[in-house]
Amino acid sequence: MREYIKNNPVKLFFILTFIISWSGILMVANQTGIPASTEQFDKLLPIAMIPYLLGPSIAGFIMIGLTQGKKGFNELFRKLSKWRLGSSIYLITIFTVPILSFVALFILYQFSEVYIPDIVTTNDKTALILS
């Protein structure tokens, strides 16, 4: 079995990703039945999305463990901790999307008040952020 895993890592990665990602949807279907009502689905959607979004990452870690073992994890974390670019590049990367979103909303607001972000118009900002 170990030889098969080492010879077919990509195939097994995609199979694992599929199984992990769809397990959240199957958990929701198991609890609500198929088809679920809109209220049931909306209530359980965050639970279903966790494995759906993390499936490729979890499968990647599993495959590193199966194919390379501890040496593979050490190499991965060594490469992740090595900073090759200056901190200004990372700041630009982090703030580009929020700045572009702000500029786009500001421009759109000039044409219609529909585009005012809720955070600006609401009095209960904490509830909005937590929801």
Side-chain angles (χ1 to χ4, degrees):
M1 182 70 172
R2 197 130 177 94
E3 192 65 32
Y4 182 78
I5 291 172
K6 288 195 178 205
N7 290 336
N8 300 293
V10 176
K11 183 190 307 184
L12 290 174
F13 168 77
F14 282 109
I15 291 170
L16 268 174
T17 300
F18 183 81
I19 291 170
I20 294 168
S21 295
W22 282 95
S23 67
I25 301 296
L26 293 176
M27 287 189 305
V28 170
N30 186 35
Q31 291 199 359
T32 62
I34 298 175
S37 69
T38 305
E39 294 83 23
Q40 290 173 325
F41 188 76
D42 288 344
K43 179 181 169 190
L44 294 172
L45 183 63
I47 296 168
M49 291 307 290
I50 292 170
Y52 189 74
L53 295 173
L54 294 179
S57 299
I58 294 169
F61 282 119
I62 291 171
M63 290 307 299
I64 288 173
L66 290 174
T67 58
Q68 299 173 355
K70 195 172 188 176
K71 184 184 97 182
F73 285 114
N74 288 337
E75 184 179 341
L76 172 69
F77 292 122
R78 182 180 53 81
K79 286 182 179 181
L80 284 176
S81 63
K82 188 182 240 183
W83 292 72
R84 295 183 183 180
L85 303 172
S87 58
S88 60
I89 298 295
Y90 289 100
L91 290 174
I92 291 170
T93 305
I94 291 170
F95 290 115
T96 299
V97 171
I99 290 171
L100 288 176
S101 298
F102 177 77
V103 169
L105 285 173
F106 181 76
I107 292 169
L108 290 170
Y109 168 67
Q110 304 305 313
F111 299 103
S112 173
E113 291 186 8
V114 174
Y115 296 104
I116 298 176
D118 290 338
I119 194 80
V120 174
T121 60
T122 187
N123 291 330
D124 192 8
K125 294 178 183 359
T126 307
L128 180 68
I129 291 171
L130 294 176
S131 64

